[in-house]
Amino acid sequence: MKQRIITAVVAAAIFLPIIIFGETPFIILMYLIASISLYEALKMRGRWIFSIPGLLSLALLWVFLIPTETIGIITDFGYSKIELAFLAVLLFLTYTVATKNRFNFDDVAFSLLSVLYVGIGFYYFMEIRLEGVQFVFYALFIIWATDSGAYFIGRAMGKKKLWPEISPNKTVEGFVGGIICAVIVGVIMTFFTDLEMSMPKLVIVTAILSIFGQVGDLVESALKRHYKVKDSGQLLPGHGGMLDRFDSLLFVLPLLHFLL
């Protein structure tokens, strides 16, 4: 627990000032974390990112992450993100032939889905930051409140297992407790910042985000269980890898963008 707290404090000291500052340092940070997350996802399947399909996945991720405000980087050449994604698919499929199916159709699907899984969340991290830094902190506090509420209420009151085949320690009581804590924190935040939502909408949006934040956590747990790994990585002592820390945000941020 001590190591976990120290890692969280150090990470927050680096991460939060960059979120507040925004602009280019924030975009660079998002690219860095997303790239590490993609590396962890591919590694779970036994695929090395410094390989032809790994580098192709990374290139596709970087294109996918280009923020709306700088999309002219590729559109000035007459291409869209979708067209470049189609090109990547053709190159992936060509590589299956070149390797005589050592890199097969399933690997292509996993690589493309990994890019989308990681890319959607971090792309909308940047888009939400453009909407206002208060929305980023709203999402972060909702996730932290959900995680803390689910953990402590689950330990104190949890009896009915939520999804033992995927995450044996999670309980229904903890799941509900996480939602309640998130709503409380969301309401408290309205006293300190303008979230541009009426109170009924805030409660509904916060509950939805809390639910899908926990779903995001379960999705990554299912992925790790399928590939028989304990953590996505060891970069963050006491926390695991980047995917272990950002799994909820990958679901929450796109939903928050749509709900806003």
Side-chain angles (χ1 to χ4, degrees), residues 34-40 42-43 46-58 61:
S35 299
I36 295 171
S37 298
L38 179 63
Y39 160 77
E40 291 176 347
L42 295 178
K43 187 180 177 184
R47 293 297 172 183
W48 180 234
I49 199 166
F50 294 110
S51 61
I52 291 176
L55 292 174
L56 184 56
S57 300
L58 189 62
L61 174 69

Side-chain angles (χ1 to χ4, degrees), residues 73-249:
I73 292 173
I74 59 173
T75 56
D76 287 347
F77 289 95
Y79 299 102
S80 68
K81 289 184 180 182
I82 295 296
E83 289 170 330
L84 291 175
F86 288 159
L87 175 61
V89 171
L90 295 178
L91 292 174
F92 271 124
L93 293 174
T94 301
Y95 191 69
T96 65
V97 176
T99 61
K100 300 178 181 178
N101 255 352
R102 289 192 301 275
F103 182 85
N104 56 43
F105 199 86
D106 290 345
D107 292 315
V108 174
F110 183 85
S111 298
L112 292 173
L113 189 56
S114 294
V115 169
L116 290 175
Y117 173 50
V118 171
I120 289 172
F122 287 105
Y123 171 76
Y124 282 108
F125 205 145
M126 291 185 282
E127 293 298 295
I128 288 292
R129 178 61 185 82
L130 290 175
E131 295 286 339
V133 70
Q134 71 272 25
F135 295 112
V136 174
F137 280 104
Y138 165 67
L140 290 173
F141 280 121
I142 291 306
I143 290 172
W144 293 337
T146 299
D147 288 346
S148 299
Y151 177 77
F152 288 110
I153 293 175
R155 288 198 63 176
M157 304 170 56
K159 294 180 180 179
K160 185 175 178 57
K161 296 295 184 182
L162 177 65
W163 216 306
E165 297 85 0
I166 299 298
S167 187
N169 294 326
K170 295 187 185 300
T171 63
V172 173
E173 293 83 0
F175 184 84
V176 174
I179 298 170
I180 294 171
C181 289
V183 170
I184 292 172
V185 168
V187 171
I188 292 174
M189 284 193 69
T190 61
F191 294 102
F192 300 96
T193 186
D194 182 14
L195 294 174
E196 302 174 12
M197 287 184 275
S198 65
M199 189 57 69
K201 181 179 179 181
L202 175 75
V203 170
I204 294 170
V205 168
T206 302
I208 292 172
L209 295 180
S210 179
I211 290 169
F212 278 92
Q214 295 185 73
V215 170
D217 183 62
L218 287 168
V219 166
E220 208 240 348
S221 294
L223 183 63
K224 290 188 294 185
R225 187 165 289 272
H226 178 72
Y227 288 106
K228 297 179 175 59
V229 296
K230 183 179 183 296
D231 295 312
S232 65
Q234 292 83 40
L235 186 62
L236 303 171
H239 292 264
M242 285 295 181
L243 273 180
D244 294 317
R245 287 302 88 209
F246 286 89
D247 50 8
S248 296
L249 272 173

